[in-house]
Amino acid sequence: MRLECCNYNTETTVWAHISIGFNSGMGMKPVDIFGVFACSDCHDALDGRSPVKVGYDDKLRALIESQNRLIKAGLVSCA
């Protein structure tokens, strides 16, 4: 996600789900396509476990960049 808290450690990078209220709930995650590559610190910020604020613009940028990486790797296709 490359937030201000990013540790840039690829060993801690995971697929982090993006929640914006209407697409998830208590104990529910959004579908996997609505996720981003995030280091452990960015993931904590995204999930609200950090004081770092994550805006919609951060989430949208990370979503587009992550999906572009999946497309280039041949893991996701677009018709």
Side-chain angles (χ1 to χ4, degrees):
M1 289 194 71
R2 295 189 331 273
L3 300 173
E4 63 185 72
C5 61
C6 190
N7 62 38
Y8 296 93
N9 184 349
T10 57
E11 292 184 14
T12 69
T13 299
V14 296
W15 189 250
H17 293 91
I18 296 177
S19 300
I20 36 178
F22 64 86
N23 71 334
S24 64
M26 184 67 75
M28 296 171 32
K29 289 186 178 181
V31 295
D32 287 336
I33 196 66
F34 299 120
V36 298
F37 292 110
C39 73
S40 56
D41 291 340
C42 288
H43 192 194
D44 285 344
L46 184 63
D47 285 352
R49 295 185 296 267
S50 161
V52 174
K53 298 298 180 203
V54 183
Y56 289 118
D57 55 333
D58 295 314
K59 293 177 182 181
L60 180 59
R61 178 193 46 77
L63 179 66
I64 291 168
E65 290 177 357
S66 295
Q67 288 185 355
N68 277 332
R69 292 181 90 172
L70 294 174
I71 292 165
K72 287 179 183 174
L75 299 172
V76 172
S77 64
C78 298

